[in-house]
Amino acid sequence: NAGVTQTPKFQVLKTGQSMTLQCAQDMNHEYMSWYRQDPGMGLRLIHYSVGAGITDQGEVPNGYNVSRSTTEDFPLRLLSAAPSQTSVYFCASSYSRVRSTQYFGPGTRLTVL
Amino acid sequence: GNSVTQMEGPVTLSEEAFLTINCTYTATGYPSLFWYVQYPGEGLQLLLKATKADDKGSNKGFEATYRKETTSFHLEKGSVQVSDSAVYFCALSEAQGAQKLVFGQGTRLTINP
């Protein structure tokens, strides 16, 4: 098992550019989510999915889109990057939506100039 | 809404010292409580958890007790090691529905030999 994988590890964008952060898990987990980590603020939930074809917004969804066409993959799209989106992004997954352990990927460090 | 407040860091201790990192929460209902650890350059790993009042979570010498009366989940370890140097996050998840984790701001711990 590779667990939760994320690509790329590092990315630098210019304001207005678009990109997709990739997340994949090989544990057949139903639940997947995206968080961003900013200094002094812990992690905040961006979007989450309770299964293929189902997504919903978290605490800070603006500027981000997601889709879940397969159980394994949960990409995060930035349509027009802004400096406020400079952050470290973590993907997580868990077996079910209720009270099961969430497993985190290694993160993507994004800088928007 | 739900929130988690952690002891501010950074915290610096000598090897074999006693560790306490305070965590208090505000939540409706009966959330599950977690401590996650983030080692340098890595994603978050679950350290321990408790799902109901008076439960004690423990792992790798760390312990935390779910105290509903004081809405607290303080992390303790009797004798820390250099390898415990990391950032520690307290988090809660809602009792019902999707597993949306709410994190504290994190506490950076450095252990000196």
Side-chain angles (χ1 to χ4, degrees):
Chain A
N1 274 355
V4 180
T5 58
Q6 291 184 238
T7 55
K9 284 194 171 182
F10 302 94
Q11 183 70 50
V12 179
L13 292 178
K14 295 180 180 177
T15 297
Q17 287 186 314
S18 62
M19 80 158 296
T20 299
L21 280 63
Q22 301 292 344
C23 174
Q25 52 87 13
D26 61 357
M27 299 174 281
N28 200 31
H29 284 175
E30 284 186 344
Y31 184 87
M32 297 185 74
S33 54
W34 277 101
Y35 293 85
R36 59 177 289 172
Q37 181 182 25
D38 300 298
M41 299 187 72
L43 280 76
R44 292 180 292 169
L45 182 65
I46 303 171
H47 285 286
Y48 64 97
S49 169
V50 300
I54 306 170
T55 63
D56 206 346
Q57 297 180 350
E59 180 185 355
V60 288
N62 292 341
Y64 307 96
N65 281 350
V66 292
S67 59
R68 183 99 179 267
S69 56
T70 68
T71 299
E72 294 79 19
D73 301 299
F74 190 45
L76 179 72
R77 297 183 187 84
L78 284 71
L79 299 179
S80 178
S84 61
Q85 294 178 303
T86 294
S87 188
V88 181
Y89 291 85
F90 289 99
C91 180
S93 73
S94 63
Y95 181 68
S96 75
R97 51 192 272 174
V98 180
R99 295 187 185 276
S100 60
T101 299
Q102 290 201 38
Y103 296 87
F104 283 79
T108 295
R109 183 174 294 275
L110 175 68
T111 301
V112 183
L113 302 175
Chain B
N2 298 339
S3 66
V4 175
T5 302
Q6 272 182 249
M7 165 179 175
E8 290 214 13
V11 175
T12 302
L13 296 173
S14 298
E15 205 165 22
E16 299 184 3
F18 184 86
L19 169 71
T20 300
I21 301 178
N22 290 338
C23 172
T24 57
Y25 67 91
T26 301
T28 54
Y30 301 91
S32 293
L33 300 174
F34 306 85
W35 277 100
Y36 279 85
V37 59
Q38 184 180 30
Y39 298 105
E42 298 184 11
L44 278 72
Q45 302 174 22
L46 179 66
L47 181 60
L48 54 83
K49 68 178 183 181
T51 58
K52 61 183 187 295
D54 299 325
D55 265 3
K56 177 186 283 188
S58 61
N59 186 24
K60 299 182 181 180
F62 290 89
E63 294 182 341
T65 301
Y66 188 143
R67 300 287 188 199
K68 193 170 190 312
E69 64 275 13
T70 54
T71 62
S72 65
F73 193 55
H74 305 320
L75 182 68
E76 296 182 336
K77 186 174 185 181
S79 177
V80 292
Q81 306 300 313
V82 172
S83 57
D84 294 326
S85 298
V87 180
Y88 292 81
F89 292 93
C90 185
L92 66 81
S93 71
E94 299 169 351
Q96 303 294 331
Q99 279 209 89
K100 293 181 274 188
L101 287 171
V102 176
F103 285 87
Q105 71 269 36
T107 301
R108 182 174 299 278
L109 174 66
T110 301
I111 307 299
N112 293 323

